[in-house]
Amino acid sequence: MEYNLRLDSFEGPLDLLVHLIEKNQLDISEISLRKVTQQYLDYLNRMEEMDLEIASEFLMLAAELVQLKTKTLLPGAKKKRGGPLPEPDLVKRLFFYRRVKRVTELLKDLEEKRMGVYERNSDHLIYFLSRYEDQEKQRENPLEGIQLKQVVAAFNRAQIDAKARKKRDKSREKKWQELEGESYTIAEKMEEILDFCQRCPRGFPFGKVINNLENPQEKVVSFLALLELIKSKRIKIDKGTSVNKLIIKGGKV
Amino acid sequence: MSSPANLKGAVEALVFLASEPVNIEEIAQVLEADQREISQAIEELKQEYNEDNRRGIQLDELAGGYLFSTRLEFGEYIRRLHKPKLKQRITQASLETLAIIAYRQPITRAEIEDIRGVKAEKALFTLVKKDLIKEVGRLEKTGTPILYGTTDAFLKHFGLSDIEHLPDPDGLRGEGGPDLHKESPGEEEMREGGS
């Protein structure tokens, strides 16, 4: 009899045997077992041809089937007992297994029905609970025992810290950024400073020359230019209102 | 806090938010009400939800508790909008083992293997990991093998209120079994042979 079997569709040797019996439209009995023994062995051979490892359970059942077949071929087996032989163990196992298969299908149906039905996900609950906990927390006074001036002081410190950090970050940035060549000359800077002097006849603070410059190289060059101008007396330095404020004025030579 | 004036509403709210079945005892305790009153409220809610097919949700009795779920007929739309985490089906091998446990519990691994004719270790491991079965005791026998039984998660997965509601047209539950290793297979065998 022709049959095509997919190997993975069997849960085990009993599954295969039940399949063969049903395929041949037989009832589960010793006689049916004898009838399908050859097909069972053929299947095992196929597995071998396909280089599939045959599980020991399949082989054990093959042995059982062959034994069953030979037993009935032996003369005198029936006579000794007088009356029909009891059904072999295997028949009972097959009956039971077939029933298990049936309820397995029932469970599968139940599962299938339940698959399309959705319940609330526990994520919802976690969300609601966390919101509730947040509210609980809000009910506590987070500023208990702290005075306003302490808060203000903390705020100011934070601002100072932030500024310092900003500065730090800025200087750090510079280290990475500036890789330009010598684009500043002292002569150039001297011209710039003299320009400044003309525009501000009453003078301008010393810092103004340098403070707004970002490139350290430019700062140095500007400072050197300033020194050069002082040396050549083209500008003069006045002490301003406070010690650390020097005023630069264009000098008359 | 004392029990709410609108008891039914409170029960509805409690079950509404639950993601796991809540049972009557729990509800009664929280609402400081009588369990009979809760049962009554649940029954009314069940009628309101389940017998009115204009509703989109239903009140299920699962694993001895209550839980709202969407109706089967709207599953398609729910999947379209919410893309819920795909529920995982149980594989055929595991399902067969699970069926044996469900109908024959408590049962040992050796008994399962006898019925299936193949090893069940892997399937058992998977099922325990998925919380569908659990160890329910030990058989007082040499080696005291583990006895397996189903869990509440099993009932929930298959939409059952309790194990008694397993469909059993064949009478597989609570029956003698194949008695594979029985020494004198008299009565048992006749019944099996005749079926």
Side-chain angles (χ1 to χ4, degrees):
Chain A
M1 204 167 288
E2 192 62 35
Y3 59 95
N4 285 306
L5 303 171
R6 260 199 26 234
L7 182 72
D8 57 359
S9 55
F10 294 105
E11 287 305 318
L14 293 177
D15 199 14
L16 172 58
L17 211 47
V18 168
H19 172 84
L20 290 174
I21 288 168
E22 282 171 358
K23 189 107 185 161
N24 290 288
Q25 295 179 322
L26 300 167
D27 291 327
I28 295 174
S29 72
E30 191 176 350
I31 297 150
S32 334
L33 285 178
R34 269 183 267 147
K35 279 183 180 161
V36 300
T37 296
Q38 193 52 51
Q39 288 178 26
Y40 184 89
L41 295 174
D42 286 347
Y43 180 77
L44 258 56
N45 283 333
R46 276 197 177 194
M47 282 169 83
E48 227 172 3
E49 278 166 27
M50 287 160 72
D51 273 343
L52 292 162
E53 202 185 322
I54 301 169
S56 56
E57 293 99 349
F58 281 89
L59 293 173
M60 265 173 67
L61 196 76
E64 221 173 315
L65 284 170
V66 171
Q67 193 196 20
L68 211 68
K69 204 163 184 176
T70 47
K71 216 162 62 181
T72 54
L73 294 173
L74 290 174
K78 272 182 187 172
K79 284 171 203 162
K80 263 186 192 170
R81 281 265 185 117
L85 281 171
E87 284 281 309
D89 223 29
L90 187 53
V91 170
K92 285 189 292 172
R93 286 174 65 192
L94 281 176
F95 266 115
F96 199 81
Y97 182 74
R98 193 170 63 180
R99 292 166 69 190
V100 164
K101 266 182 82 80
R102 270 189 226 134
V103 295
T104 303
E105 288 308 306
L106 288 178
L107 273 189
K108 213 172 179 170
D109 290 347
L110 285 180
E111 185 186 42
E112 200 54 46
K113 260 196 238 161
R114 197 68 202 170
M115 277 289 151
V117 162
Y118 297 93
E119 299 118 20
R120 199 177 262 290
N121 189 311
S122 53
D123 293 351
H124 282 85
L125 202 60
I126 290 163
Y127 170 72
F128 282 119
L129 282 177
S130 65
R131 282 223 319 203
Y132 173 74
E133 274 164 16
D134 284 350
Q135 279 172 6
E136 285 287 285
K137 270 182 206 147
Q138 271 168 27
R139 251 171 245 160
E140 298 162 13
N141 182 3
L143 287 175
E144 210 166 345
I146 293 170
Q147 289 175 323
L148 181 61
K149 63 180 179 186
Q150 286 175 289
V151 179
V152 172
F155 176 77
N156 287 337
R157 173 157 310 152
Q159 263 195 322
I160 290 162
D161 285 352
K163 268 182 198 158
R165 201 180 308 121
K166 213 172 169 184
K167 236 183 206 164
R168 253 200 329 271
D169 290 350
K170 232 178 184 176
S171 62
R172 238 177 251 151
E173 262 172 43
K174 274 176 227 147
K175 275 178 201 157
W176 292 105
Q177 280 176 355
E178 316 293 347
L179 277 170
E180 291 163 3
E182 281 182 46
S183 43
Y184 310 102
T185 61
I186 292 172
E188 214 180 18
K189 285 290 158 194
M190 283 162 68
E191 287 295 325
E192 264 183 46
I193 293 165
L194 288 172
D195 253 355
F196 248 120
C197 291
Q198 272 179 0
R199 269 186 277 152
C200 313
R202 283 188 294 161
F204 59 93
F206 175 81
K208 201 160 185 175
V209 180
I210 286 165
N211 282 7
N212 290 334
L213 303 177
E214 290 202 337
N215 189 319
Q217 198 191 6
E218 195 180 356
K219 273 186 189 172
V220 171
V221 172
S222 300
F223 188 64
L224 288 174
L226 205 63
L227 292 178
E228 190 60 38
L229 288 169
I230 295 166
K231 191 182 151 203
S232 59
K233 295 193 172 142
R234 288 160 79 182
I235 58 166
K236 57 179 181 184
I237 305 276
D238 268 354
K239 232 196 243 167
T241 44
S242 75
V243 191
N244 43 14
K245 254 191 188 164
L246 299 174
I247 302 295
I248 296 167
K249 281 181 181 170
K252 270 274 166 298
V253 185
Chain B
M1 250 199 282
S2 61
S3 58
N6 178 3
L7 197 68
K8 195 166 82 179
V11 173
E12 188 180 20
L14 288 178
V15 180
F16 168 73
L17 205 57
S19 60
E20 290 294 324
V22 255
N23 62 45
I24 287 177
E25 294 91 82
E26 288 174 294
I27 300 172
Q29 205 177 3
V30 168
L31 299 182
E32 294 178 7
D34 199 73
Q35 286 190 19
R36 267 177 305 144
E37 286 178 282
I38 305 298
S39 292
Q40 174 70 23
I42 286 276
E43 275 315 307
E44 286 174 31
L45 285 169
K46 257 170 104 174
Q47 263 183 14
E48 285 170 33
Y49 279 96
N50 300 355
E51 278 163 37
D52 179 356
N53 51 23
R54 285 168 302 178
R55 292 275 188 182
I57 50 178
Q58 60 197 16
L59 184 53
D60 295 325
E61 192 175 344
L62 289 175
Y66 296 88
L67 193 63
F68 279 113
S69 68
T70 59
R71 284 193 180 227
L72 186 61
E73 57 186 299
F74 305 122
E76 171 63 28
Y77 308 110
I78 285 171
R79 285 187 289 278
R80 272 190 220 166
L81 179 65
H82 297 288
K83 298 176 185 67
K85 243 188 271 171
L86 225 61
K87 290 188 181 182
Q88 278 201 331
R89 283 184 177 78
I90 299 163
T91 62
Q92 187 66 34
S94 296
L95 199 61
E96 197 176 282
T97 302
L98 186 58
I100 294 169
I101 296 166
Y103 284 85
R104 309 293 303 170
Q105 59 187 310
I107 189 168
T108 65
R109 192 183 85 196
E111 289 171 299
I112 296 164
E113 287 173 348
D114 275 343
I115 293 170
R116 293 189 68 209
V118 282
K119 294 254 172 288
E121 204 168 350
K122 232 174 94 185
L124 285 174
F125 179 77
T126 312
L127 292 168
V128 168
K129 218 171 107 193
K130 288 190 171 173
D131 193 32
L132 293 163
I133 60 164
K134 63 180 179 201
E135 187 182 327
V136 292
R138 296 274 184 162
L139 191 65
E140 284 182 34
K141 208 183 97 177
T142 330
T144 56
I146 296 169
L147 287 164
Y148 292 98
T150 52
T151 61
D152 281 354
F154 164 84
L155 296 173
K156 203 183 156 200
H157 186 89
F158 292 97
L160 297 164
S161 57
D162 60 66
I163 200 74
E164 305 296 322
H165 283 79
L166 264 182
D168 192 13
D170 222 12
L172 200 58
R173 291 185 66 234
E175 180 214 283
D179 288 324
L180 305 174
H181 304 298
K182 213 169 163 183
E183 273 134 44
S184 54
E187 189 191 325
E188 177 65 30
E189 172 230 307
M190 281 180 42
R191 187 148 55 91
E192 289 284 348
S195 64

